[in-house]
Amino acid sequence: MTVLLVREDREYLVEPGETLETDLGIIEVPDAPSAGDVVESHLGETFRVQALRGPDLFEHFERTGAPMMPRDIGLVIGHTGASAGDRVLDAGTGTGVLAAYLGRLGADVTTYECDPDFAEVARENMAMADVDEHVDVLTGDLTDQLDDLAGEGFDVLTLDTEDAASVVERAPTLLVRGGFLAVYSPFVESTRDVVAAARNVGLTDIETFETIQREMDFDDRGSRPSTAGVGHTGYLTFARRP
């Protein structure tokens, strides 16, 4: 079970029984660390054991590209109601942050990644997140499997791919009645294609949101939104099979 050792602004991913060498000393990680335990280096410097949570996965997963941001994941979960026991079909695994969040909710996720190297990294990330029993990372293009998956009855379909519109065209054959679609698109043009496809196949409750979030700065001069960081990430389209 991977955990974090935390000291002020430092965080180290460690495994039980591991020996970690730092500039603050050598740390012998306990065989069964528990959240809240205090571990000392051989120089007497202390670190706190912290269990991995969703935001920690975002920060510490090995990345194969830009992962979906937590704010986008929150909208996906909130607008689809994804929960324990759901069957989720996902495409565009990438780093696997969305799949891991869904797996930690207790959903069973089948996710497709075209790049074999990316898929292998995602599998390792799922193991680190302790969701590999819930998340099955498959190497391949979902569009090649649509005929075989028709009628499988997924509760949620999540897409983060350039060809998302072509999968949306098959959404009625993939989703249970009442099941939800969520599509992340970085560009308006692909978002329009997704919305058009959703309308053409009779999906309902179609909504698109631009995701913008600004952190607040508070100092002696006053309070205002931060001028640093990325406010806009992309567009999220949601729809439902009636």
Side-chain angles (χ1 to χ4, degrees):
M1 177 186 67
T2 306
V3 297
L4 286 172
L5 291 185
V6 179
R7 177 189 171 94
E8 297 176 350
D9 61 346
R10 300 187 185 206
E11 293 185 351
Y12 299 97
L13 274 176
V14 296
E15 300 290 338
E18 178 182 349
T19 298
L20 177 68
E21 296 184 6
T22 77
D23 60 327
L24 297 178
I26 299 173
I27 304 167
E28 299 292 341
V29 182
D31 290 331
S34 297
D37 288 351
V38 174
V39 179
E40 286 192 7
S41 73
H42 82 288
L43 297 178
E45 301 291 346
T46 59
F47 295 78
R48 176 173 47 84
V49 176
Q50 181 173 289
L52 286 171
R53 308 264 316 163
D56 302 314
L57 303 179
F58 175 81
E59 294 294 335
H60 292 284
F61 268 179
E62 182 178 347
R63 296 190 178 185
T64 52
M68 189 176 288
M69 298 288 287
R71 63 172 175 263
D72 299 316
I73 294 170
L75 285 172
V76 170
I77 293 171
H79 281 269
T80 66
S83 59
D86 279 351
R87 298 181 66 223
V88 179
L89 178 61
D90 174 66
T93 315
T95 299
V97 176
L98 175 61
Y101 266 84
L102 293 169
R104 288 169 74 88
L105 289 175
D108 293 313
V109 184
T110 300
T111 179
Y112 284 82
E113 171 56 54
C114 290
D115 188 300
D117 293 332
F118 288 9
E120 186 56 36
V121 170
R123 293 185 191 102
E124 295 171 359
N125 285 339
M126 297 308 104
M128 185 181 82
D130 197 27
V131 295
D132 44 341
E133 291 188 1
H134 282 285
V135 180
D136 188 12
V137 180
L138 301 179
T139 302
D141 189 332
L142 174 58
T143 59
D144 295 333
Q145 309 299 323
L146 294 177
D147 289 337
D148 292 337
L149 292 170
E152 285 291 312
F154 292 94
D155 300 288
V156 181
L157 172 61
T158 56
L159 305 172
D160 182 4
T161 61
E162 293 182 2
D163 56 0
S166 64
V167 181
V168 173
E169 291 173 354
R170 303 290 295 275
T173 70
L174 301 170
L175 290 168
V176 299
R177 292 198 176 275
F180 280 93
L181 164 75
V183 181
Y184 175 85
S185 304
F187 304 112
V188 169
E189 290 82 2
S190 54
T191 303
R192 288 180 60 88
D193 291 342
V194 164
V195 171
R199 288 173 176 168
N200 287 340
V201 296
L203 299 185
T204 62
D205 302 330
I206 303 169
E207 298 178 295
T208 298
F209 301 93
E210 179 183 13
T211 58
I212 299 176
Q213 188 177 71
R214 296 190 297 175
E215 186 175 352
M216 296 295 295
D217 285 341
F218 300 99
D219 58 32
D220 293 338
R221 296 179 300 165
S223 309
R224 67 176 187 178
S226 174
T227 57
V230 179
H232 163 90
T233 49
Y235 305 93
L236 280 166
T237 298
F238 301 97
R240 194 171 194 179
R241 183 190 174 191

